[in-house]
Amino acid sequence: MDNPAIYDRCLNCGTPLPEITHPGMDRYLLPAIIVVMVVLVTGFLIIPALHISMASGRDLSTAINGVSATPTPVPEYQINQPARVGDLQVTVTDTRPGVNQFNDKRFYTVTLSVQNFNSNDTYTLSATDFTLADARENYYSSLGIQSKPSYDVLPGTTGVVDLVYIVPLSADKLRLLYTFPASTAAPGQSQTEVAFVL
């Protein structure tokens, strides 16, 4: 008769049983630690480096080594002054600070005119490509573009869209930062970033 694992003596004769060890636990501990380390390195180093590489249009080693201490000046445009890269043109036509206030914050709406001069390709504008910045270097993400995460500018069309932000009442000297889609960049060039002075 076999003894259950919870007993330390034989049920038939009462002699002490040898201690049972679980070699499986020690065998899986080191591989589990290695897997966790690989996941952490991938998540915190490799994926962000690839994102920087893709966003800048450079290969991975250049993107990592090419980070400079002084940022390149971003071209600035005024309201109703169009910014055009390739076949895509974006113009800030209006801004409306919200009247309703809550928790020392308010809505801030930016109206854009977007024009696609290409007769074949559709450009997708993502709400995450438009970031509002204030004088104190605080950045605000859009709640959406036309209440959606993105907006398609069809070939040969012009559209008017609204971006809505929530900003503190104290936010001043606002600028809208925009990164043009990678498809508008010339071959071998990085994406173009612009700032609209509001």
Side-chain angles (χ1 to χ4, degrees):
M1 175 172 162
D2 290 335
N3 290 313
I6 59 170
Y7 295 108
D8 60 353
R9 296 194 173 268
C10 176
L11 293 177
N12 294 332
C13 65
T15 59
L17 296 173
E19 192 171 319
I20 300 173
T21 60
H22 297 286
M25 289 301 280
D26 294 338
R27 184 173 54 181
Y28 295 114
L29 186 59
L30 182 61
I33 291 173
I34 291 172
V35 167
V36 168
M37 294 303 293
V38 167
V39 168
L40 289 174
V41 167
T42 302
F44 290 107
L45 294 177
I46 295 174
I47 292 175
L50 286 173
H51 180 72
I52 291 169
S53 173
M54 290 177 10
S56 66
R58 298 178 286 173
D59 63 58
L60 183 60
S61 61
T62 306
I64 292 172
N65 295 330
V67 177
S68 62
T70 56
T72 305
V74 176
E76 290 187 343
Y77 296 86
Q78 303 299 317
I79 292 178
N80 291 318
Q81 182 182 7
R84 182 174 175 174
V85 173
D87 293 324
L88 183 62
Q89 179 174 291
V90 177
T91 309
V92 172
T93 59
D94 191 26
T95 61
R96 294 181 306 282
V99 177
N100 296 337
Q101 303 171 7
F102 55 98
N103 295 337
D104 294 325
K105 296 184 180 181
R106 65 179 173 190
F107 288 105
Y108 194 88
T109 304
V110 179
T111 302
L112 304 174
S113 170
V114 291
Q115 187 169 3
N116 182 352
F117 292 98
N118 191 303
S119 58
N120 299 318
D121 298 328
T122 297
Y123 290 110
T124 299
L125 304 180
S126 173
T128 58
D129 292 338
F130 294 91
T131 303
L132 201 61
D134 65 17
R136 289 176 282 293
E137 300 286 329
N138 295 313
Y139 297 95
Y140 309 97
S141 298
S142 172
L143 299 176
I145 184 167
Q146 293 299 95
S147 300
K148 299 177 186 172
S150 64
Y151 176 79
D152 290 332
V153 188
L154 301 175
T157 63
T158 300
V160 176
V161 296
D162 285 331
L163 295 163
V164 178
Y165 298 86
I166 297 177
V167 299
L169 292 172
S170 61
D172 61 342
K173 297 181 182 174
L174 295 172
R175 297 183 327 141
L176 181 67
L177 308 175
Y178 174 57
T179 304
F180 277 86
S183 56
T184 61
Q189 298 294 315
S190 61
Q191 290 177 272
T192 301
E193 297 177 21
V194 297
F196 294 95
V197 179
L198 309 178

